[in-house]
Amino acid sequence: GLSLLTARAAEPLSSPTLRKIRDTGVIVLGYRVASAPFSYLDADLKPVGYSIELCERVVQAVRARLQLPELEAKMVSVSSATRMPMVANGSVDLECGITTHTLERQRIQAFSLTTFVAETRLLSKRQQPIRSLNELRGLPVASTIATTSIQFLHQVNQTRELDMKILVGQDDKDAFRLLQTGRAVAYAMDDVLLRTWLAGSGRPQDYLISEASFSIEPYALGLAQGDPGFKQLVDEALRALFRSGEIRAIYRRWFESPLPGSGLNLRLPMSPAFLRLIEQPSDSPDPAQYR
């Protein structure tokens, strides 16, 4: 008779995303071109990174679930501005980047279990160190378009009446350049990304990352709304990595080892928040869950 697996593959699929993947023979992954160590292009222009590796595990789970070992994973580049619209309209099945899960964004798309916990900090030049938001009163500060960091700056600017001049970079490189060239006195962004830019800047000693952090950013993989079946499969694949402890090896590869393409090593050990996340996986958008 039918094996259990064959029977399961023949079941009518309740997940629209899985039905589409089965019918087209393709799963589409969104990647970022320059968001190391999460999602970036290596020397051969191949998308690699921590988020990409997690997505590859999900693709394996989809292949097994649909019994399509030959299922093609197609990579599509997304930016800060395009990532969520492309998930929402179905041109991307799984976004493998650096997207923070927020309550507001849940209106547009769904999110996997949290895959990383970052915190927003300020990068400034050592000659003119900026250690807190209040020190930015009346001064120009840079961040990146369509990020939680830029939203947060606008919010704080209003509530604390800081009269900051907020400069918007089209991407992280652009925002970092605003600080490098002195047009901004600080660059507000997730600490792990600041560390990456510094490591690659050639002159990390010229800059300072604020000790104070201003918001907690739970990153997750992005997927279509209203598809609990697909989310369950994605979350099961991630939970298996957490439970087996394999996530630690994956983490070491991207945060504590030389990176493919650049050879930079972020030397960033797991944070207490991340260690707690491995013990108790969560898909909460509430920053308080990760304190």
Side-chain angles (χ1 to χ4, degrees), residues 37-290:
F38 296 92
S39 189
Y40 66 103
L41 293 174
D42 69 9
D44 302 321
L45 302 185
K46 177 176 173 284
V48 295
Y50 173 75
S51 301
I52 301 287
E53 187 166 351
L54 296 184
C55 281
E56 284 166 354
R57 297 313 175 93
V58 172
V59 171
Q60 288 171 11
V62 172
R63 285 185 178 131
R65 173 77 178 81
L66 297 179
Q67 289 195 298
L68 291 173
E70 300 303 304
L71 176 70
E72 182 200 344
K74 182 180 168 197
M75 309 297 288
V76 170
S77 137
V78 300
S79 69
S80 269
T82 63
R83 55 190 169 168
M84 282 180 287
M86 286 177 78
V87 169
N89 71 19
S91 23
V92 164
D93 298 316
L94 198 59
E95 195 247 326
C96 315
I98 44 166
T99 299
T100 302
H101 181 186
T102 69
L103 205 50
E104 187 190 352
R105 286 174 171 177
Q106 269 180 204
R107 298 205 300 262
I108 306 164
Q109 64 171 52
F111 290 89
S112 72
L113 288 171
T114 298
T115 54
F116 189 83
V117 185
E119 297 184 44
T120 309
R121 295 179 200 266
L122 293 171
L123 182 68
S124 58
K125 291 191 173 167
R126 268 186 203 280
Q127 297 160 325
Q128 189 183 3
I130 303 283
R131 293 187 170 85
S132 72
L133 289 165
N134 287 339
E135 291 177 24
L136 284 170
R137 190 175 293 281
L139 296 174
V141 56
S143 196
T144 309
I145 195 168
T147 59
T148 46
S149 298
I150 200 108
Q151 278 179 315
F152 176 73
L153 283 179
H154 283 296
Q155 216 176 319
V156 168
N157 213 17
Q158 281 179 325
T159 53
R160 298 198 201 169
E161 298 179 345
L162 289 176
D163 194 31
M164 296 184 288
K165 186 179 174 205
I166 299 171
L167 305 179
V168 185
Q170 288 310 299
D171 54 30
D172 291 328
K173 192 176 190 171
D174 194 28
F176 182 48
R177 203 178 289 121
L178 290 168
L179 169 65
Q180 275 179 313
T181 56
R183 284 166 57 199
V185 296
Y187 167 32
M189 189 41 64
D190 306 354
D191 48 11
V192 59
L193 302 177
L194 292 178
R195 287 183 77 122
T196 309
W197 280 109
L198 271 194
S201 71
R203 299 196 58 82
Q205 65 280 10
D206 292 357
Y207 296 89
L208 182 78
I209 297 177
S210 67
E211 292 209 1
S213 71
F214 313 109
S215 65
I216 292 179
E217 308 280 329
Y219 291 178
L221 308 178
L223 40 145
Q225 246 184 353
D227 195 340
F230 186 56
K231 174 172 160 56
Q232 188 186 355
L233 188 149
V234 172
D235 286 352
E236 275 174 12
L238 293 172
R239 198 174 271 116
L241 292 177
F242 285 178
R243 204 169 28 228
S244 69
E246 202 182 337
I247 190 70
R248 292 167 191 274
I250 295 174
Y251 182 96
R252 270 198 304 276
R253 190 156 35 248
W254 298 104
F255 296 95
E256 300 182 280
S257 314
L259 289 175
S262 69
L264 295 175
N265 185 340
L266 294 183
R267 296 189 172 82
L268 185 66
M270 277 189 183
S271 66
F274 196 92
L275 291 165
R276 284 194 297 274
L277 184 70
I278 294 175
E279 295 308 314
Q280 292 181 304
S282 167
D283 65 357
S284 171
D286 178 7
Q289 288 276 331
Y290 303 94

